[in-house]
Amino acid sequence: MTNRQKVLFIIIILILFIAPFFCHMSIGGDDGKFYYLFPLEFLKNFSNENIYNDLGYFNPTQFLIPFSFILFLSKKILFFLNTQKLFFGLNLSCSFLFFYLFLKVPINDRTKENDDFLARITSSLFYSLSIFSYYTLWNTQLLSVYLISIFPLIMFLFFKSVKDNKVIYSILGSLILSLSSISILSIPWLLTLVIASLPILTYLLIKNKKVFIKCLIIFLVIFFLLNAYWIIGFLSSIKDSNNPLNHNSATDFQEQNINIIESVSQNNNIFYPFFNLFHKNIQIDYDWPMKDVYLSYLIKLLPLNFIFLLLVLLPTFFYKKSSKENQSLYTISIISWLIVLFLFTAKIGKWGVPLFIWLANNIPGFVMFRNMYDKFGTA
């Protein structure tokens, strides 16, 4: 980076960090979010109990211990700051930073860093300020919101581990994922991000088979060892007859899922996400609070969002002149985008919704994505 680029980079991070301090944050919602106010009490009274959580049933919550302890230390040391705003500021600024670093791994091998600086800055801002994350993870403000920064960091570390053949990065990734305590509560959003990343992961696997498999095994084993204290209890809890995961094959449960998939996708339209905007009609149908801002302001940005589509399609004009490496990266990027466009929308022609229902009925666990507009938003 040049000195000017460094200054710009730091200014963007600082602006993103302080932005939540100027926003109204409310303690409340599905989980109460009292861990921001009373992290030590939460650690003492809830982290070792079986409580009803975001997954929709009772299970041990020991996995919350690391994050609660980090909150406790932060509140103790930075007692003069609003803890919730502090962590949201860190999440927003780090999402930009880590996505920038993640893009650096596949791109920087073929360009000078100064040449792709603007591209990575723009892409990282698109990611960290995404309207899709705002409508889903940021709107709920639950622990899964930290996926926005954690996932690109984990991807960066895993890529680094494979490309440099250094398992220390895989170990570090497992440790960070464990400390964030988002593993269970964020499963649907985490898996959708993995699905979106499958083409680039496949590309990495083909290029570095043995190292990839080695790093993945080390990542998973270390993660299991670090989290065995709650994973064993969790696996025991899902055997409970009251656990909805045990009824996925029941006829009434399948019919309920089909009804939900059809109802939430009936007025979806690929047009809006194609131009980097959230679905319009579902907000009107369900009278979402955000719809007024969307209709009065965001929808008016549609002409500007043609630039977004232009940036996506522009490389096709230079495709044949590009190196095979760049051709491969562009192809898998487009494949990722198209896959998620479908899964986020479902209603595409006459085949979209039936295909989505088929996936829900035939792929174990896919029913967790039945609210596709939410689960695939960030992806």
Side-chain angles (χ1 to χ4, degrees):
M1 283 189 197
T2 64
N3 288 334
R4 285 186 178 182
Q5 289 173 341
K6 288 177 182 177
V7 170
L8 175 62
F9 191 75
I10 293 171
I11 288 174
I12 292 174
I13 290 178
L14 288 176
I15 290 174
L16 292 174
F17 174 72
I18 64 174
F21 287 91
F22 294 93
C23 300
H24 173 69
M25 297 289 178
S26 58
I27 297 295
D30 292 344
D31 60 351
K33 293 190 269 299
F34 286 119
Y35 40 76
Y36 290 115
L37 286 174
F38 312 109
L40 183 59
E41 287 73 15
F42 192 87
L43 191 64
K44 289 178 179 177
N45 299 309
F46 288 95
S47 59
N48 287 312
E49 298 292 332
N50 284 2
I51 63 172
Y52 193 77
N53 65 29
D54 300 356
L55 287 177
Y57 61 95
F58 290 87
N59 73 274
T61 53
Q62 288 92 342
F63 60 87
L64 291 169
I65 291 175
F67 185 73
S68 300
F69 185 69
I70 292 172
L71 279 175
F72 165 69
L73 289 179
S74 302
K75 200 167 185 68
K76 202 77 173 172
I77 298 170
L78 303 172
F79 58 89
F80 50 90
L81 291 177
N82 180 303
T83 310
Q84 187 182 22
K85 293 181 179 182
L86 169 65
F87 274 75
F88 282 7
L90 285 171
N91 192 37
L92 189 58
S93 58
C94 287
S95 69
F96 169 80
L97 171 62
F98 297 149
F99 199 79
Y100 181 91
L101 291 175
F102 164 59
L103 289 178
K104 194 174 178 180
V105 180
I107 292 176
N108 230 32
D109 290 347
R110 286 167 299 285
T111 61
K112 295 178 181 178
E113 184 171 1
N114 291 340
D115 293 341
D116 63 63
F117 176 78
L118 182 59
R120 283 191 280 123
I121 285 283
T122 306
S123 301
S124 301
L125 283 172
F126 262 115
Y127 174 77
S128 58
L129 301 177
S130 170
I131 187 175
F132 302 101
S133 294
Y134 167 74
Y135 266 77
T136 54
L137 294 178
W138 279 114
N139 188 48
T140 61
Q141 300 181 18
L142 303 177
L143 277 183
S144 51
V145 73
Y146 296 106
L147 261 182
I148 294 171
S149 59
I150 295 296
F151 186 76
L153 174 58
I154 300 301
M155 287 289 287
F156 165 70
L157 291 171
F158 186 73
F159 263 66
K160 191 82 172 162
S161 185
V162 173
K163 298 197 80 173
D164 294 353
N165 195 12
K166 294 182 179 178
V167 296
I168 185 63
Y169 294 115
S170 292
I171 296 171
L172 184 58
S174 292
L175 177 61
I176 292 171
L177 187 59
S178 302
L179 289 175
S180 65
S181 295
I182 59 175
S183 308
I184 286 296
L185 300 183
S186 305
I187 281 179
W189 297 274
L190 179 59
L191 288 180
T192 57
L193 285 165
V194 171
I195 290 171
S197 305
L198 281 177
I200 190 73
L201 289 171
T202 303
Y203 169 81
L204 189 64
L205 171 62
I206 293 171
K207 298 277 290 184
N208 311 270
K209 291 179 183 176
K210 291 183 179 179
V211 181
F212 182 99
I213 294 171
K214 178 183 70 174
C215 291
L216 181 61
I217 291 173
I218 289 173
F219 178 87
L220 295 175
V221 169
I222 295 297
F223 180 80
F224 178 81
L225 292 176
L226 289 172
N227 294 272
Y229 67 94
W230 65 262
I231 289 178
I232 295 172
F234 173 77
L235 293 177
S236 300
S237 73
I238 64 175
K239 296 178 182 178
D240 185 354
S241 59
N242 294 321
N243 186 336
L245 293 179
N246 294 329
H247 302 287
N248 281 0
S249 60
T251 303
D252 56 341
F253 188 71
Q254 286 187 342
E255 289 179 355
Q256 179 190 17
N257 287 324
I258 291 172
N259 291 335
I260 291 175
I261 291 169
E262 289 177 339
S263 64
V264 300
S265 65
Q266 64 179 341
N267 287 323
N268 282 355
N269 190 319
I270 198 172
F271 176 81
Y272 295 102
F274 210 72
F275 292 99
N276 203 39
L277 284 171
F278 202 87
H279 293 305
K280 172 186 173 183
N281 292 332
I282 194 171
Q283 301 177 63
I284 298 172
D285 293 344
Y286 290 92
D287 196 27
W288 287 3
M290 302 91 81
K291 81 174 189 308
D292 294 331
V293 175
Y294 186 94
L295 295 175
S296 62
Y297 174 67
L298 295 174
I299 198 71
K300 293 178 181 178
L301 295 177
L302 186 58
L304 271 179
N305 285 357
F306 276 84
I307 298 174
F308 168 80
L309 187 61
L310 180 65
L311 288 173
V312 172
L313 298 179
L314 195 60
T316 57
F317 297 102
F318 308 98
Y319 189 83
K320 290 184 179 180
K321 297 180 181 179
S322 302
S323 65
K324 288 186 177 180
E325 201 80 1
N326 283 337
Q327 288 178 359
S328 299
L329 275 176
Y330 178 66
T331 301
I332 60 179
S333 298
I334 288 293
I335 291 172
S336 294
W337 186 51
L338 293 176
I339 288 173
V340 179
L341 268 177
F342 160 65
L343 294 171
F344 175 70
T345 306
K347 190 177 181 183
I348 301 175
K350 295 181 179 180
W351 56 270
V353 175
L355 175 56
F356 200 96
I357 291 173
W358 184 89
L359 293 171
N361 288 337
N362 292 277
I363 298 180
F366 197 87
V367 292
M368 72 176 74
F369 307 133
R370 57 191 184 181
N371 288 328
M372 72 292 294
Y373 65 87
D374 171 29
K375 300 304 184 290
F376 283 97
T378 301

